[in-house]
Amino acid sequence: MIETYIKITGCVLIISSSSGMGFLLANDIRKRLEDLRSAKTIALLLRGDIRYAHTALPEALENVARRHDGRMSPFLKRVARELHKYNGLSFTEIWKQAMEEELKNTSLSKKDKVSLLQFGEQLGYLDKDMQINHIDWYIAQLDDDMKEITSEAKDKMRLYKSLGVLFGILVTILLV
């Protein structure tokens, strides 16, 4: 009798843990989309500060960091803080270091991070009009990435959830 309860409990734990993994993977897709939307919002705010307020890049980044609330906010605050220190590092070096240390908690893929790094590398060296054009290019690239992810997201999320449940059932069947 107790043996049966232990088996049932084990089966329930296996199915629920594998289902949880499936839901966790599906949630990563949703978080990645949120992070890409956040990156787009940052780029839009930065473009507005540079274009309309004629703000210098360090101040524009600081303004955007204050107005933006999300997982990427510490990254922006770090870049702005490091730029104000005048420690001899180039903008690209500061951007790269901040990305490596502050964007660990995001769901951005390697491709997303490479794109963000390339975006930052070009920001520090261009004049105002070229910066705005580069920001527009980055926003268009983010839009394309988000469209691609959104079109695939629903199916992938359903697949991950279903595979999690089915894998748990398979393991349970094999063990019983």
Side-chain angles (χ1 to χ4, degrees):
M1 186 75 168
I2 293 176
E3 220 175 86
T4 307
Y5 288 130
I6 292 174
K7 284 184 180 180
I8 291 172
T9 303
C11 292
V12 168
L13 288 174
I14 289 170
I15 292 171
S16 61
S17 63
S18 66
S19 299
M21 287 300 294
F23 279 85
L24 199 68
L25 289 171
N27 194 38
D28 280 348
I29 294 172
R30 186 186 55 77
K31 284 183 178 180
R32 181 176 175 213
L33 271 171
E34 285 176 11
D35 289 341
L36 289 175
R37 284 187 191 108
S38 181
K40 181 180 177 182
T41 301
I42 288 167
L44 289 168
L45 291 170
L46 191 60
R47 181 181 67 185
D49 264 8
I50 292 171
R51 178 182 283 163
Y52 301 113
H54 303 288
T55 309
L57 190 58
E59 287 78 22
L61 286 168
E62 192 173 21
N63 292 340
V64 171
R66 270 194 308 252
R67 289 185 291 181
H68 181 72
D69 187 28
R71 286 197 298 255
M72 293 183 75
S73 183
F75 161 70
L76 292 173
K77 289 176 182 173
R78 169 105 183 247
V79 172
R81 186 174 56 244
E82 293 295 322
L83 286 173
H84 285 296
K85 285 183 183 177
Y86 303 110
N87 56 6
L89 294 174
S90 70
F91 179 80
T92 303
E93 292 169 326
I94 292 171
W95 187 269
K96 186 176 182 177
Q97 284 178 358
M99 276 185 64
E100 290 171 356
E101 295 173 19
E102 300 293 337
L103 295 182
K104 292 177 185 174
N105 298 331
T106 63
S107 295
L108 296 174
S109 68
K110 286 183 182 181
K111 177 188 171 204
D112 300 333
K113 288 180 180 179
V114 167
S115 178
L116 184 62
L117 180 62
Q118 290 172 346
F119 172 64
E121 287 174 346
Q122 297 300 317
L123 269 182
Y125 297 108
L126 305 172
D127 67 348
K128 179 184 143 189
D129 292 330
M130 291 299 291
Q131 283 184 5
I132 291 170
N133 289 338
H134 186 67
I135 292 170
D136 288 338
W137 171 82
Y138 181 64
I139 291 169
Q141 185 179 12
L142 285 173
D143 284 337
D144 291 343
D145 289 346
M146 287 189 296
K147 282 178 189 173
E148 180 182 323
I149 294 167
T150 304
S151 68
E152 298 172 354
K154 190 174 183 179
D155 293 334
K156 278 187 179 180
M157 290 171 73
R158 189 179 317 121
L159 176 71
Y160 288 150
K161 291 174 185 177
S162 300
L163 283 177
V165 172
L166 292 174
F167 182 73
I169 293 171
L170 175 69
V171 171
T172 302
I173 291 171
L174 292 175
L175 291 177
V176 174

